[in-house]
Amino acid sequence: MSERANASVIPFKVDDETEEGVLAGPPAENQAQNPSQNPGERLYMAEAVRMAEAIVFASAEPVSEKQLAARLPDRINIAVAMAELQQIYERRGVNLVRVGDAWAFRTAGDLAFLMSRDTVQQRKLSRAALEVLAIIAYHQPVTRAEIEDIRGVETSKGTLDTLMETEWVKMRGRRRTPGRPVTYGTTDIFLDHFALEEIRDLPGMEELKGAGLLSGRMPSNFSIPLPPADPDALTDDEDPLTDIDLEELGLLTPRVEED
């Protein structure tokens, strides 16, 4: 009898425990280095990575992990899949980068000079606008009155309007104080423009001094606040903006009720 006749076929099975461990647990590097991983599991994850690549590549805006989770197969650990995809693109001409809670493809930093002739020259921000932007980034959530208190001078409405037109700054909510002033904070577009994964990646005082952006003769009590871990989360003394608030601020067209 031939060897083929004596051979038996043993189908593999992806059990719940193993599947959960691979698809929702170990880091991407462990999966890549685990040759004993079930072929079915590897194929399942590889296909999910391909799908994530297609989704992010086709999107004009960074794609959030929530959006990815809604479109990828069930039981896929989004963080693991994106870490694997990020590793694939690590040495390529474009890199997969994290922007807040979203992902996007960007030209590799060392190849940015190749795009210089195609970039659009943007108008430079005034010194006042840069000061206000820095205050909002580090002190958010912050009101206009608080910005003026920090700067020591009045801040024109046009400066804040300019920063919101760039989409680097947004209105967050209203402070629970008399007058209910609007609070301001930064956006994911701000993070993307300045190549920051999260707002806490802003340079600290020592980094600013090393770059020559702070005087060496700063007051002894001078400090730079640590931005919030989640800049989108409202604080205890903030209320969310309602439709009525947006109408008052001119950000929403008033509704016309028919008789």
Side-chain angles (χ1 to χ4, degrees):
M1 187 176 293
S2 66
E3 292 181 1
R4 178 179 294 274
N6 291 331
S8 60
V9 178
I10 304 176
F12 64 81
K13 178 179 182 296
V14 181
D15 57 58
D16 293 339
E17 181 179 356
T18 304
E19 184 175 280
E20 183 69 19
V22 172
L23 301 183
E29 60 268 23
N30 289 351
Q31 293 186 22
Q33 298 172 2
N34 185 6
S36 63
Q37 181 179 312
N38 191 301
E41 296 163 357
R42 291 202 303 269
L43 184 62
Y44 191 75
M45 176 58 77
E47 189 63 18
V49 170
R50 289 183 65 242
M51 294 171 67
E53 178 183 21
I55 294 169
V56 177
F57 181 82
S59 176
E61 303 292 336
V63 182
S64 70
E65 293 191 354
K66 184 178 180 180
Q67 292 172 313
L68 289 167
R71 301 175 69 178
L72 292 181
D74 294 338
R75 303 185 308 279
I76 286 295
N77 186 314
I78 302 301
V80 170
M82 299 312 289
E84 186 169 328
L85 185 58
Q86 189 177 40
Q87 187 176 14
I88 292 172
Y89 277 88
E90 188 175 9
R91 296 182 179 276
R92 296 191 179 181
V94 292
N95 299 146
L96 181 66
V97 299
R98 190 183 183 96
V99 181
D101 187 36
W103 293 89
F105 283 115
R106 293 290 181 263
T107 302
D110 61 328
L111 300 180
F113 70 94
L114 295 173
M115 308 294 120
S116 59
R117 286 180 293 182
D118 299 328
T119 56
V120 178
Q121 280 298 105
Q122 296 182 345
R123 184 182 61 183
K124 290 185 178 181
L125 292 177
S126 66
R127 179 173 178 176
L130 289 173
E131 289 177 356
V132 171
L133 178 62
I135 291 171
I136 292 174
Y138 282 96
H139 292 263
Q140 61 184 305
V142 62
T143 66
R144 180 177 170 182
E146 291 166 345
I147 294 171
E148 292 176 346
D149 184 53
I150 294 170
R151 291 187 67 214
V153 295
E154 185 177 350
T155 299
S156 68
K157 184 178 181 296
T159 300
L160 287 168
D161 288 342
T162 298
L163 292 174
M164 287 193 289
E165 286 173 7
T166 64
E167 297 185 61
W168 292 350
V169 168
K170 66 180 179 182
M171 294 179 180
R172 295 169 41 99
R174 285 189 180 274
R175 185 83 76 202
R176 294 177 183 173
T177 55
R180 299 184 67 244
V182 173
T183 56
Y184 296 91
T186 54
T187 65
D188 282 346
I189 296 177
F190 169 84
L191 297 178
D192 192 16
H193 182 85
F194 290 98
L196 300 172
E197 183 173 316
E198 58 177 333
I199 196 64
R200 289 195 171 187
D201 289 336
L202 285 167
M205 190 156 63
E206 294 304 319
E207 293 173 283
L208 293 174
K209 284 183 178 179
L213 299 175
L214 287 180
S215 170
R217 296 179 295 177
M218 301 298 297
S220 59
N221 61 344
F222 179 82
S223 63
I224 295 178
L226 181 66
D230 183 1
D232 292 326
L234 295 176
T235 58
D236 293 339
D237 61 349
E238 280 183 293
D239 287 322
L241 291 173
T242 64
D243 287 347
I244 296 176
D245 292 324
L246 296 176
E247 288 179 11
E248 291 178 355
L249 297 167
L251 301 178
L252 186 68
T253 304
R255 289 175 293 182
V256 178
E257 297 183 0
E258 297 180 358
D259 295 334

